[in-house]
Amino acid sequence: MRPRNEFRLLFVVVLCLSLLTGCWNYREIEEMLIVGGVAVDKGKNGEYQITVETFLIEGGQEAKITSKQFSMNGKTIFDAVRNEISISGKRLYWSHAKVVILSKEVAEEGILKFLDWFQRDSETRADLKILISKEKTAKEILSGEKSFYEIKTIELEEMINNQESLGKTPDIEIWKIINDIESPGIAAILPVISFKGKIPIMLGTAMFRKDKLIGFLDGLQTQNLLFIRDEIKGGLLVVGKNDSLLPTAVSMEIFKSKTKITPVINKDDISFKIKIETTMAIDEIGGEENYTDFQQIKKVQKSVEEMLKERIENFVAEVQRDYGVDVFGFGSKFRDENPQLWNEIGDDWENRFKDLTVDVSAKVHIKGSGMMSESLKMGD
């Protein structure tokens, strides 16, 4: 081997050994507090108060995980986070953080500056969930009574993960809310959390103009919103009772749904067609009606279709009238399909949105309803 080649080989070996000696930013687990969740409120004297729930891992034959909460103030989120060291003597570790709860007061002021820090920090996760508290503070949600789990953050995470089967709360990760705030043609939304008695309940939607909270939608309104945004993955629809087609209430379970939004341009007039196609099954019958007959099944199907059309058209009109923000993403859809015209009218979209005409059509497929579509009676 030539001397020059020997030198090159030696240089590569020394370089590899120097790089494999350890991690440059390695920290002992005992030096850190692992964050599970955080609540952000307005503090005193113009400062912010953050409350964190941290995990404590106790060793032994059976490892036990408990939690401890700290509150600290600061002029910014990062300032408050660093001030925590004066309480515990340890730095917070954010890689396992699941949930951020923002108070109404903070959200009305504008949330982008808070999201910015959580997004920029190298330790925080891209799938971090953001919630808006309808209570007076966000801290009381995080510090409230534990219902089913010893660690409040785990309880909140389970509530978020199981929302698909209810379909009355949006599932929004931090990257999505930031993208919607900064994108023209769509207004941002976030899930809402509050108390029912002393138990936390996740139901409804917070709506934003840019990054400022402007109002709330309840659970039923949120279901309408998710249908329009093509984000329904489950849940129930109750039809009948007050419906002229059905004499009793029937509960329909949603298996899948697909929504297509099409802009319609007629000179200066812009309208939208919303086509919903969903597959459901009869899950419960509130009376003694027999829905095994094909014609009866068709009645249920038609009733659900008419109910969806009426509900969603009325809901869109309500949002246009009361809030004037495009939480449906009509503008975003229009921009994607007609970018040239969007460049001309995009700056005035919020005003145009208030006067849009929307036509909804729904197609319902009833699945497996011939198996047992008759309500149970005494003696069955």
Side-chain angles (χ1 to χ4, degrees):
M1 184 179 290
R2 294 181 181 179
R4 180 176 296 177
N5 290 338
E6 290 178 354
F7 176 77
R8 287 176 177 172
L9 179 60
L10 179 62
F11 176 77
V12 171
V13 171
V14 172
L15 179 62
C16 290
L17 289 173
S18 66
L19 293 175
L20 295 173
T21 55
C23 299
W24 67 272
N25 64 344
Y26 176 78
R27 286 181 284 170
E28 293 286 349
I29 190 68
E30 292 83 1
E31 298 174 0
M32 300 178 292
L33 284 174
I34 300 173
V35 177
V38 57
V40 182
D41 292 295
K42 290 292 291 291
K44 296 179 180 179
N45 301 320
E47 292 189 329
Y48 298 101
Q49 181 187 72
I50 71 167
T51 302
V52 295
E53 181 176 48
T54 59
F55 299 151
L56 302 176
I57 304 175
E58 300 175 5
Q61 290 185 348
E62 294 184 7
K64 182 180 179 182
I65 301 178
T66 57
S67 67
K68 189 173 181 62
Q69 296 190 4
F70 301 90
S71 292
M72 67 288 300
N73 294 330
K75 294 179 181 178
T76 64
I77 293 293
F78 193 33
D79 184 35
V81 166
R82 282 298 171 89
N83 286 339
E84 182 274 336
I85 296 176
S86 66
I87 300 174
S88 68
K90 298 181 180 181
R91 288 184 59 178
L92 299 175
Y93 183 62
W94 292 88
S95 289
H96 294 279
K98 304 288 187 182
V99 180
V100 176
I101 309 168
L102 304 176
S103 70
K104 286 188 297 184
E105 190 177 12
V106 161
E108 287 168 349
E109 182 182 281
I111 64 174
L112 199 54
K113 56 188 173 185
F114 305 108
L115 301 180
D116 182 73
W117 183 82
F118 289 108
Q119 180 76 352
R120 286 178 184 274
D121 189 84
S122 60
E123 292 179 352
T124 54
R125 302 162 61 102
D127 61 353
L128 195 64
K129 306 289 187 178
I130 314 296
L131 307 175
I132 302 298
S133 170
K134 285 190 77 173
E135 302 300 328
K136 187 176 180 180
T137 65
K139 178 181 177 180
E140 60 193 290
I141 298 291
L142 195 63
S143 303
E145 291 185 10
K146 300 178 180 69
S147 302
F148 305 103
Y149 297 89
E150 283 300 314
I151 299 174
K152 196 56 177 280
T153 302
I154 295 178
E155 182 179 319
L156 295 175
E157 184 185 17
E158 284 295 302
M159 290 173 66
I160 294 170
N161 291 339
N162 289 312
Q163 287 303 309
E164 284 187 8
S165 60
L166 183 61
K168 294 182 179 180
T169 301
D171 184 2
I172 307 289
E173 296 175 348
I174 188 169
W175 66 268
K176 172 65 174 171
I177 180 68
I178 292 174
N179 186 65
D180 285 351
I181 288 172
E182 296 179 343
S183 297
I186 186 169
I189 61 172
L190 281 174
V192 168
I193 189 164
S194 58
F195 283 129
K196 186 174 183 179
K198 295 183 179 180
I199 299 175
I201 178 172
M202 200 173 294
L203 194 68
T205 300
M207 297 182 294
F208 293 79
R209 175 174 280 113
K210 299 297 184 182
D211 72 329
K212 293 180 173 59
L213 175 69
I214 62 167
F216 295 101
L217 301 175
D218 63 25
L220 189 59
Q221 291 171 319
T222 297
Q223 189 178 60
N224 296 333
L225 173 64
L226 296 181
F227 265 115
I228 297 171
R229 289 172 63 116
D230 195 24
E231 294 174 8
I232 279 284
K233 298 176 183 176
L236 293 177
L237 278 177
V238 180
V239 63
K241 200 171 184 178
N242 297 323
D243 192 290
S244 59
L245 293 176
L246 301 179
T248 59
V250 178
S251 297
M252 309 292 296
E253 183 176 5
I254 303 167
F255 286 99
K256 62 181 180 179
S257 185
K258 182 68 178 176
T259 300
K260 182 179 180 181
I261 298 176
T262 306
V264 179
I265 304 169
N266 184 11
K267 296 182 180 179
D268 291 334
D269 183 55
I270 301 171
S271 61
F272 284 84
K273 289 185 178 294
I274 301 174
K275 182 179 180 181
I276 300 170
E277 187 167 359
T278 181
T279 300
M280 303 179 180
I282 296 175
D283 200 55
E284 180 185 9
I285 300 171
E288 297 183 357
E289 298 301 309
N290 183 348
Y291 289 113
T292 57
D293 179 78
F294 177 74
Q295 293 302 321
Q296 292 293 89
I297 294 294
K298 292 291 289 182
K299 274 189 178 182
V300 175
Q301 178 181 311
K302 186 176 180 182
S303 186
V304 176
E305 290 171 348
E306 290 182 356
M307 184 192 72
L308 276 174
K309 174 180 172 63
E310 183 180 0
R311 258 180 50 176
I312 290 176
E313 287 181 349
N314 290 341
F315 171 63
V316 171
E318 183 181 350
V319 172
Q320 289 174 307
R321 180 186 68 245
D322 296 343
Y323 300 103
V325 291
D326 185 2
V327 290
F328 313 110
F330 292 150
S332 179
K333 188 70 175 178
F334 183 82
R335 184 191 69 211
D336 291 343
E337 297 201 9
N338 201 323
Q340 184 175 353
L341 185 54
W342 174 262
N343 289 335
E344 298 176 14
I345 68 171
D347 291 341
D348 191 43
W349 182 250
E350 191 166 292
N351 289 326
R352 285 179 171 268
F353 166 76
K354 297 174 184 177
D355 298 320
L356 290 178
T357 301
V358 173
D359 178 50
V360 178
S361 63
K363 177 64 177 176
V364 173
H365 303 280
I366 298 182
K367 175 182 177 180
S369 298
M371 298 292 291
M372 183 180 175
S373 295
E374 213 175 337
S375 60
L376 292 174
K377 304 177 182 65
M378 292 293 292
D380 285 354

